[in-house]
Amino acid sequence: MGVKLGAGSAGGGRFRAEDDLVEAHEINVTPFIDVMLVLLIIFMVAAPLATVDLGVDLPASTAEPQPRPDKPVFVTVKPDLSVAVGEDIVARDALATTLDGATKGRKDERIFLRADKAVSYGELMEVMNVLRNAGYLKIALVGLDGRS
């Protein structure tokens, strides 16, 4: 609460009791805004540091399966790291041309990617990078149905 002091009164420079302390009914919000800005900066700096990288064992999916197309194109990564399109094993460098033949050149067709549990995440990502570089951006990961 603030106080305004009067400059004096007409009575010879003397202050009267009602003139000397007048209350100001205004709240000073500047310190409040300063504190809020400091807290905002602290949270903006601390938020990216709050993410933690953990090794996880992902469970089976319990999501409802999406409708399956008439003739889906499956790309399979086997435990020996060989890659198959449908039932035919192909080399990784020939994967793009084999997919072009299987999809009749339609790059917007969804590719169903499945891999054995023994395949590392890095190997699966390499196959996904080959698919992306070939122009196939709609990739669906296939898993077991974990619903009971």
Side-chain angles (χ1 to χ4, degrees):
M1 184 180 318
V3 175
K4 291 185 181 177
L5 297 176
S9 65
R14 293 185 174 222
F15 293 108
R16 294 190 308 208
E18 65 266 11
D19 286 341
D20 61 344
L21 296 178
V22 178
E23 293 181 4
H25 299 285
E26 300 162 354
I27 297 174
N28 188 1
V29 295
T30 304
F32 176 72
I33 292 172
D34 290 343
V35 169
M36 294 307 291
L37 287 175
V38 168
L39 288 175
L40 176 67
I41 291 169
I42 289 171
F43 283 117
M44 287 174 58
V45 170
L49 301 176
T51 59
V52 179
D53 294 329
L54 298 175
V56 294
D57 183 20
L58 297 176
S61 175
T62 58
E64 291 292 325
Q66 297 295 316
R68 193 170 169 179
D70 294 334
K71 291 185 178 182
V73 178
F74 284 102
V75 174
T76 307
V77 183
K78 296 187 175 195
D80 60 356
L81 303 181
S82 61
V83 179
V85 175
E87 299 294 324
D88 303 323
I89 296 177
V90 297
R92 287 190 189 193
D93 53 348
L95 182 60
T97 57
T98 307
L99 278 175
D100 287 340
T103 61
K104 299 179 181 76
R106 293 188 313 257
K107 302 282 186 181
D108 62 338
E109 188 169 336
R110 187 171 307 278
I111 305 297
F112 292 90
L113 180 61
R114 56 187 175 186
D116 192 85
K117 284 184 179 181
V119 175
S120 70
Y121 185 71
E123 293 293 331
L124 183 64
M125 287 305 298
E126 284 183 23
V127 173
M128 288 182 73
N129 286 335
V130 170
L131 293 173
R132 186 189 67 217
N133 292 337
Y136 294 97
L137 301 178
K138 292 185 176 182
I139 301 171
L141 299 177
V142 179
L144 293 176
D145 188 8
R147 296 176 287 149
S148 299

